[in-house]
Amino acid sequence: MPHITVDYSPQLADAFDRPGFVRELHPLVREWVASRGVCKTFFRPAVETWVDTADGQLVAFVHIAIGLLPGRPEGLKARLSEEVLRLLDKHLRPVLGREVVRSAEVRDLAASYRLRTGW
């Protein structure tokens, strides 16, 4: 915990500084949620992405999901989502001719969540 997944359009691969983002993301999340747990982040380029636009514009996206153990107030989760989006904007360069839709959510992990480290 925290468990972080970043899905992104493959067209953003060269414009998204993923190592820099995650170096700043982990301490940010741990500080906001007062966690001493191990942050784990998975980056997943989506093979195909579709964003509904009225004008047929080329659109890419990044979605960040942060799973936490239950108990954090909804207001804190919303503010953390905003902070994560600010950080993302710092590590994502514009892509010529392509709008980028960016979203983040902080959610509770299921009661069945378990973590093991080491052997």
Side-chain angles (χ1 to χ4, degrees), residues 33-52:
V33 302
S35 173
R36 288 174 287 205
V38 177
C39 278
K40 301 160 299 301
T41 298
F42 301 92
F43 288 96
R44 300 185 303 196
V47 176
E48 285 188 47
T49 60
W50 299 88
V51 177
D52 186 21

Side-chain angles (χ1 to χ4, degrees), residues 3-112:
H3 183 92
I4 305 166
T5 305
V6 181
D7 293 304
Y8 63 96
S9 297
Q11 301 89 343
L12 300 176
D14 293 336
F16 187 7
D17 174 17
R18 293 176 303 282
F21 177 69
V22 80
R23 272 193 303 273
E24 292 188 54
L25 178 66
H26 286 183
L28 173 81
V29 170
R30 279 194 307 266
E31 179 182 329
W32 269 82
V33 302
S35 173
R36 288 174 287 205
V38 177
C39 278
K40 301 160 299 301
T41 298
F42 301 92
F43 288 96
R44 300 185 303 196
V47 176
E48 285 188 47
T49 60
W50 299 88
V51 177
D52 186 21
T53 62
D55 60 6
Q57 175 180 348
L58 294 174
V59 179
F61 83 92
V62 178
H63 178 72
I64 303 160
I66 301 172
L68 303 172
L69 292 175
R72 273 70 176 202
E74 290 302 317
L76 180 136
K77 293 177 196 177
R79 290 190 306 276
L80 176 56
S81 292
E82 289 292 336
E83 289 298 317
V84 168
L85 289 175
R86 273 193 268 287
L87 181 62
L88 173 63
D89 288 346
K90 178 180 170 184
H91 292 279
L92 184 63
R93 292 188 320 273
V95 177
L96 187 62
R98 191 173 296 272
E99 179 185 350
V100 181
V101 174
R102 299 163 318 281
S103 60
E105 70 172 316
V106 179
R107 59 178 168 69
D108 290 342
L109 293 168
S112 62

